[in-house]
Amino acid sequence: GSVPVLVPCRGLGSSARSAREDSWLKSLFVRKVDPRKDAHSNLLAKRETSSLYKLQFHNVKPECLEAYNKLCQEVLPKIHEEKHYPCALVGTWNTWYGEQDQAVHLWRYEGGYPALNEVMSKLRQNKEFTEFRKERGNMLLSRKNQLLLEFSFWNEPVPRDGPNIYELRSYQLRPGTMIEWGNYWARAIRFRQDSNEAVGGFFSQIGQLYMVHHLWAYKDLQTREDIRNAAWHKPGWDELVYYTVPLIQEMESRIMIPLKISPLQ
């Protein structure tokens, strides 16, 4: 497609200034890495960790949500706290605004795919978990999951005190644009750190592909509005938004409330 052109508000003072602005404009479109030389996951993910994440979406029968939450709060901590399972529950929520009667769970597997396989193998031998899955299945309308890696430039999702509400912003990118997204957000994330609202950023490996998930924490909806509005007053934020929007095919926002067992409160 055609390259967007920025129209200066004032006339250029000299040819040197024109050259500088032209160079700056071109720099916005230069790939920092060549995707043909390495997998996107190796270029974008954290190098110092091999953690794999699983994001689960469970659509619960409305009349079963309370029982579903109670069941999860009884069983999930046992998996999270079991030393022989190389996994940890990062957060567990109910969607407040967005999909209704929905539960969202985020798990971390220390050690990547081997850790995931080990946990799944052990859970298949766990009679309590087998019963849990059977009882849970009767409460669900549908479910889906994705395996994710975390962006190298985002915060590590660590437990935090509450009360907070959480926003999960999910972006379906145009195929082939993940590298550009990473380049822009590596700069954009610095505009969103003042209030410690950035929790974690992930991209899909298995499941729905070219998906990006940004997880944010706010004290309440008004605080969310204030923080997001404040970003627009920072020089450079509007330009980064301008160049990332064309990379998106679809986007969705969920406002979520953590369950009592969630490490992210």
Side-chain angles (χ1 to χ4, degrees):
S2 59
V3 175
V5 176
L6 294 178
V7 179
C9 296
R10 297 184 295 274
L12 297 178
S14 65
S15 60
R17 181 179 173 186
S18 177
R20 284 197 306 272
E21 293 201 6
D22 184 56
S23 175
W24 172 82
L25 182 61
K26 287 179 179 177
S27 73
L28 292 175
F29 299 95
V30 173
R31 290 178 183 270
K32 299 295 187 296
V33 288
D34 188 341
R36 293 167 297 181
K37 293 181 180 177
D38 207 347
H40 285 190
S41 58
N42 292 338
L43 297 167
L44 294 167
K46 292 190 192 308
R47 295 299 184 97
E48 68 275 12
T49 177
S50 57
S51 292
L52 180 70
Y53 290 81
K54 180 169 69 177
L55 185 61
Q56 298 174 297
F57 299 99
H58 289 174
N59 291 315
V60 185
K61 295 174 184 176
E63 67 274 16
C64 295
L65 186 61
E66 186 176 343
Y68 172 93
N69 287 340
K70 184 174 183 293
L71 187 64
C72 286
Q73 293 184 139
E74 290 173 357
V75 177
L76 297 188
K78 296 177 183 178
I79 302 170
H80 172 69
E81 294 163 3
E82 172 58 64
K83 294 180 180 178
H84 299 297
Y85 292 167
C87 68
L89 183 64
V90 178
T92 176
W93 304 267
N94 285 156
T95 301
W96 184 23
Y97 289 105
E99 293 272 358
Q100 296 293 281
D101 306 305
Q102 184 182 69
V104 180
H105 309 291
L106 181 62
W107 294 86
R108 179 195 295 115
Y109 297 88
E110 306 288 351
Y113 292 106
L116 173 68
N117 291 337
E118 181 182 344
V119 172
M120 293 299 101
S121 177
K122 288 180 176 178
L123 287 178
R124 279 193 291 270
Q125 309 302 319
N126 184 322
K127 290 184 179 180
E128 183 181 13
F129 185 75
T130 302
E131 289 300 314
F132 161 73
R133 286 195 64 179
K134 186 183 300 183
E135 190 174 351
R136 185 188 68 182
N138 294 328
M139 301 177 180
L140 299 182
L141 292 169
S142 65
R143 60 192 179 109
K144 68 175 182 178
N145 60 26
Q146 295 175 3
L147 295 180
L148 314 169
L149 295 176
E150 56 186 332
F151 282 114
S152 59
F153 46 84
W154 265 80
N155 299 351
E156 185 86 13
V158 296
R160 65 170 65 197
D161 296 329
N164 293 293
I165 61 171
Y166 288 81
E167 181 175 18
L168 183 66
R169 295 179 70 86
S170 302
Y171 303 88
Q172 177 70 60
L173 301 187
R174 290 192 294 108
T177 61
M178 188 66 75
I179 294 293
E180 283 88 345
W181 180 273
N183 285 338
Y184 289 127
W185 265 95
R187 286 174 276 170
I189 191 64
R190 71 178 185 269
F191 293 101
R192 299 297 308 278
Q193 299 282 14
D194 292 353
S195 301
N196 193 33
E197 72 267 28
V199 178
F202 313 90
F203 60 98
S204 61
Q205 281 284 281
I206 295 178
Q208 192 171 351
L209 297 179
Y210 290 102
M211 283 291 296
V212 169
H213 300 281
H214 291 175
L215 184 61
W216 309 91
Y218 304 100
K219 289 301 177 187
D220 50 44
L221 286 173
Q222 186 58 54
T223 303
R224 169 188 176 273
E225 186 74 4
D226 295 342
I227 289 173
R228 287 173 54 80
N229 286 339
W232 289 97
H233 298 288
K234 299 177 182 179
W237 171 255
D238 56 342
E239 290 160 4
L240 289 164
V241 171
Y242 178 82
Y243 288 111
T244 52
V245 166
L247 308 180
I248 302 169
Q249 281 188 336
E250 295 180 18
M251 60 185 294
E252 183 177 5
S253 170
R254 289 175 175 85
I255 301 296
M256 310 185 302
I257 305 297
L259 298 187
K260 292 178 181 178
I261 59 167
S262 178
L264 288 171
Q265 282 295 311

